[in-house]
Amino acid sequence: MEDEVIGIVPNMKKSKMLGLSYDAFTLVATPDSTIFAKVTNDVMKQVVKESRDQAKAEGKGFMGQWGAQMKGAFRYAERYAAMSAQAALAENEANFAIPNAGIKSIKVKKKSSSDDDQIQNIWEINIQSNSGKLKFKTDFDPKDHFRQIYGDRVK
């Protein structure tokens, strides 16, 4: 498996039990495979701690450290850019990979709902591969990210 990370798509939610709860994944793409790395509380705690510690080392006070923690929580996926694909895959037993050659298509569909005069957009992602179909949801449009990684297989 080629280890160079060529793309990262954070905050992909996979429904569990009747769609009432979900697991969050970060998609980590290499030239040969796509890894789905489960976001765990332990991972988030570690990223937040590292962000706070770095801010503290830079001499930032309480508010600076708190701000760094918040930014760190939103940038947790960036850490995969510095990891090997094997390390990302081995990080958690729930992580899994599929070969890019087996990805037939990726369909991204925008769904909108209205709640108390606010429109909420959710994007549904359907990945069709030789090993089956994977369905995710996210709250941002990932189509451009996917096109950069998978080209014309994205619809």
Side-chain angles (χ1 to χ4, degrees), residues 65-97:
Q65 291 174 39
W66 181 75
Q69 282 180 228
M70 297 304 290
K71 287 179 186 173
F74 290 112
R75 293 188 317 217
Y76 69 88
E78 291 176 3
R79 62 202 235 355
Y80 290 107
M83 280 183 154
S84 72
Q86 291 299 327
L89 188 58
E91 182 180 52
N92 185 301
E93 63 185 30
N95 294 0
F96 63 97

Side-chain angles (χ1 to χ4, degrees), residues 85-145:
Q86 291 299 327
L89 188 58
E91 182 180 52
N92 185 301
E93 63 185 30
N95 294 0
F96 63 97
I98 57 175
N100 288 347
I103 295 176
K104 298 174 184 176
S105 69
I106 299 175
K107 295 179 183 170
V108 179
K109 187 175 183 180
K110 181 179 174 181
K111 296 275 187 165
S112 297
S113 63
S114 180
D115 185 20
D116 295 331
D117 296 327
Q118 287 186 333
I119 296 174
Q120 182 179 6
N121 295 319
I122 298 290
W123 283 264
E124 293 180 348
I125 303 157
N126 289 301
I127 301 171
Q128 183 66 48
S129 73
N130 290 340
S131 54
K133 193 181 280 188
L134 294 167
K135 294 182 179 186
F136 296 93
K137 292 182 181 181
T138 190
D139 39 3
F140 73 96
D141 186 353
K143 203 178 274 191
D144 288 340
H145 292 292

